[in-house]
Amino acid sequence: MDRRAVAERYRLFPIFLIPIFVKNSFQNIEGTFDIYPGAQRATECTEIWSYLEGIIDEMMANYGYSEIRTPTLEHTGLIARGVGQTTDIVSKEMFAFERGNHSYVLRPEMTAPIMRAYLQHHLDQNPGVQRYYYIGPCFRAERPQKGRYRQFHQFGAEVIGTDDPRADAEVIALMTDLYQVLGIGDTTLKINTLGNAEARATYRDALVGYLTPFAEQLTQISRDRLSQNPLRILDTKVEAERVILENAPLITEYIDEESAINYESIKRLISSVGIPFVEDPMLVRGLDYYSHFTFEFEVKGIGAQNALAGGGRYDSLAPEIGAKAAIPAIGFAAGVERLILAMENQDLCKEHGSVKYDVWIIAVGDMAHEKAFQVASQMRKSHLRVGMELGHRSMKAQLRLANRANSTFAIIIGDQEVKADRATVKDMETGQEQEVFFSDLVERITKSST
Ligand code: HAM
């Protein structure tokens, strides 16, 4: 509790009488974290996030995806209907609350909100297929552990308005390219098809028929799922249940012809651009809106939470949240933190963990301070990355800062230099120094930086 809070609680005491040793003891909530410059942990380091977001923006632009931003707060009903009442996300993990007669939720994912925005703004009236991407916070009340947080960030892409298998292949290619640009290896792409609604209903009956005699041997969670959402049992991590599932019927035996043809096309397309994959008939995904093609990217070395990204086709989401008919759509979302964990694990964060400056200006003396301010302003206008201390530290201390700031050059200005109209330019790598007229500084640095 800080001094102000103590003063408020014990109103008798004016704030200055509260001892200064009462510390501010607030911490961020478990399962959330701060992102700040120079943080030791890569998942909390601003510079890593900026680097990654830059790459994502560039990659999405290359693929022709435009950014979409929706509110963090949505109506609970949208998520309940869109994601599905019996899913873990809706039944156990929502941060939902009431205000007046309304129930709101901190969004646990972005696909339902984006489809809501698409319908609300009649975006189907834009010509052609719509391609969107996003990066933003999502919230799930899960038990926090490495790679699993209560506030985490998803980036993802949604292609709305086509059932062409090239769209499915395109989002797979996009994700694969991103891993390549970032240098992330050891990923596995798992794919499956869930078929159409009828195929899934027939499969559901077959699975329930197979599992019912084993009901006593299932965990309580799986017994509940048996009546509510039996396909989710396929996701179980419980060894005894996995053994039971070894002889269970597979969805592949129930797939409708159209889905099977589409699935073959997607496999052909991604193979044709050299993307390896593993077929996994148990991959059903944890959200109810999926049908047909589904997929997940996994990575080794980041612990139990190894799903880097997941997605699939969700043609039936739109009617579930108010559209008159199905709207074909496909997309994926990836956990940004897990991506950073994978980068860290593969030693890909080091060179992106700090900002590199072109110039660090060192000024000693009152005249020099004013001159340094003008030089910095001029250089920043010329798109140079400029750093400068705003205090009265010694030249030595400022040089140390320039070193730590990873600057290419230091520009040293003392009152003497101001009088002589020149600064000393120090190459921080070679240590060489050179006197340069103030009027030539920008040109001198720009030439060396290009
Ligand atoms: P999801 O599989 O629930 O799919 O989440 C996508 C990704 O978000 C996961 O693969 C994981 O990397 C990350 N993630 C999920 N929960 C957490 C958590 N608690 N902490 C850290 N990271 C997490 C969806 O959300 C779908 N909307 C994906 C999609 C888009 N399908 C079609 N379009």
Side-chain angles (χ1 to χ4, degrees):
M1 196 181 286
D2 68 4
R3 296 174 71 212
R4 194 169 297 281
V6 173
E8 261 168 32
R9 181 176 296 180
Y10 305 103
R11 280 167 200 233
L12 296 177
F13 299 100
I15 191 165
F16 59 83
L17 286 182
I18 308 292
I20 20 184
F21 57 77
V22 176
K23 286 223 180 94
N24 182 347
S25 62
F26 292 114
Q27 306 256 312
N28 61 304
I29 294 166
E30 198 195 357
T32 71
F33 47 86
D34 302 311
I35 299 166
Y36 53 97
Q40 285 297 307
R41 287 198 187 140
T43 45
E44 298 177 6
C45 178
T46 310
E47 289 81 0
I48 303 280
W49 279 79
S50 304
Y51 162 71
L52 198 55
E53 285 169 0
I55 299 274
I56 292 170
D57 286 341
E58 208 178 301
M59 176 72 69
M60 294 296 185
N62 287 350
Y63 270 80
Y65 287 62
S66 305
E67 192 180 4
I68 186 162
R69 297 186 194 192
T70 58
T72 315
L73 220 48
E74 290 283 356
H75 289 290
T76 306
L78 168 76
I79 304 298
R81 294 280 301 272
V83 175
Q85 292 282 4
T86 60
T87 59
D88 284 356
I89 294 178
V90 172
S91 63
K92 295 194 279 199
E93 296 167 2
M94 285 202 297
F95 282 106
F97 58 93
E98 314 288 322
R99 273 278 174 280
N101 293 328
H102 296 285
S103 176
Y104 303 102
V105 64
L106 290 171
R107 64 179 180 206
E109 62 101 51
M110 313 271 246
T111 309
I114 287 167
M115 185 54 91
R116 183 217 23 89
Y118 179 87
L119 297 172
Q120 182 178 338
H121 304 292
H122 308 288
L123 299 177
D124 58 327
Q125 287 171 15
N126 290 339
V129 170
Q130 301 304 299
R131 290 180 172 87
Y132 304 113
Y133 83 97
Y134 49 87
I135 311 179
C138 291
F139 305 83
R140 295 184 192 177
E142 299 194 78
R143 196 166 43 80
Q145 64 177 93
K146 184 178 174 192
R148 186 165 71 188
Y149 310 103
R150 297 191 144 195
Q151 175 174 341
F152 60 100
H153 296 73
Q154 281 191 345
F155 86 87
E158 313 291 351
V159 184
I160 307 184
T162 179
D163 59 5
D164 193 308
R166 281 175 297 173
D168 307 51
E170 181 176 291
V171 294
I172 296 283
L174 201 167
M175 232 9 249
T176 312
D177 276 359
L178 185 77
Y179 295 142
Q180 206 160 26
V181 169
L182 293 171
I184 297 178
D186 261 349
T187 60
T188 306
L189 165 63
K190 290 186 171 173
I191 63 169
N192 190 23
T193 178
L194 301 177
N196 63 17
E198 294 83 67
R200 259 194 328 286
T202 319
Y203 175 61
R204 188 191 145 110
D205 291 345
L207 189 63
V208 172
Y210 171 80
L211 285 173
T212 304
F214 296 101
E216 289 300 308
Q217 297 165 50
L218 299 178
T219 56
Q220 186 58 49
I221 295 176
S222 292
R223 270 204 297 277
D224 291 345
R225 284 178 172 164
L226 195 56
S227 55
Q228 291 166 2
N229 201 346
L231 268 63
R232 295 286 293 135
I233 300 174
L234 299 177
D235 265 353
T236 182
K237 303 262 187 300
V238 179
E239 193 45 42
E241 293 185 338
R242 293 183 85 99
V243 173
I244 294 173
L245 286 169
E246 272 171 16
N247 295 317
L250 293 178
I251 198 156
T252 21
E253 298 153 20
Y254 295 83
I255 293 305
D256 52 289
E257 201 185 336
E258 196 193 342
S259 265
I261 294 171
N262 264 350
Y263 190 46
E264 287 307 315
S265 304
I266 298 165
K267 287 192 283 183
R268 225 182 14 257
L269 283 164
I270 57 180
S271 298
S272 74
V273 291
I275 299 173
F277 57 84
V278 175
E279 288 182 68
D280 180 359
M282 300 285 210
L283 181 72
V284 288
R285 309 264 308 129
L287 303 93
D288 277 358
Y289 47 58
Y290 291 117
S291 56
H292 308 290
F293 185 58
T294 56
F295 61 93
E296 256 174 36
F297 284 92
E298 288 179 1
V299 71
K300 291 199 183 80
I302 62 166
Q305 303 305 318
N306 64 350
L308 267 191
R313 193 156 268 293
Y314 53 94
D315 303 353
S316 58
L317 170 60
E320 205 54 61
I321 60 171
K324 291 200 184 76
I327 297 177
I330 170 95
F332 73 83
V336 181
E337 291 80 2
R338 290 190 196 175
L339 202 60
I340 296 178
L341 285 173
M343 288 169 62
E344 194 177 28
N345 181 252
Q346 298 182 21
D347 218 10
L348 300 168
C349 284
K350 271 197 196 114
E351 58 182 304
H352 309 295
S354 59
V355 171
K356 178 140 183 64
Y357 287 86
D358 297 309
V359 172
W360 193 271
I361 301 178
I362 294 168
V364 182
D366 289 342
M367 278 158 66
H369 283 161
E370 200 170 320
K371 188 71 186 171
F373 182 77
Q374 293 156 9
V375 170
S377 158
Q378 200 186 7
M379 294 201 150
R380 286 166 176 155
K381 283 195 185 96
S382 305
H383 308 290
L384 290 168
R385 199 181 271 253
V386 181
M388 182 170 65
E389 172 65 352
L390 300 176
H392 294 271
R393 289 176 193 239
S394 68
M395 164 107 70
K396 210 166 143 198
Q398 291 188 57
L399 261 171
R400 266 202 304 274
L401 284 174
N403 246 327
R404 279 188 55 183
N406 211 2
S407 187
T408 312
F409 292 100
I411 293 181
I412 302 164
I413 308 172
D415 289 349
Q416 286 300 338
E417 276 84 357
V418 179
K419 281 183 200 144
D421 196 29
R422 298 159 205 234
T424 303
V425 175
K426 177 172 178 170
D427 184 317
M428 296 299 283
E429 204 182 310
T430 62
Q432 268 181 352
E433 292 188 3
Q434 190 188 3
E435 300 222 321
V436 179
F437 282 112
F438 284 114
S439 54
D440 298 337
L441 269 179
V442 170
E443 205 190 329
R444 167 76 183 83
I445 302 292
T446 321
K447 254 195 203 149
S448 319
S449 308
T450 48

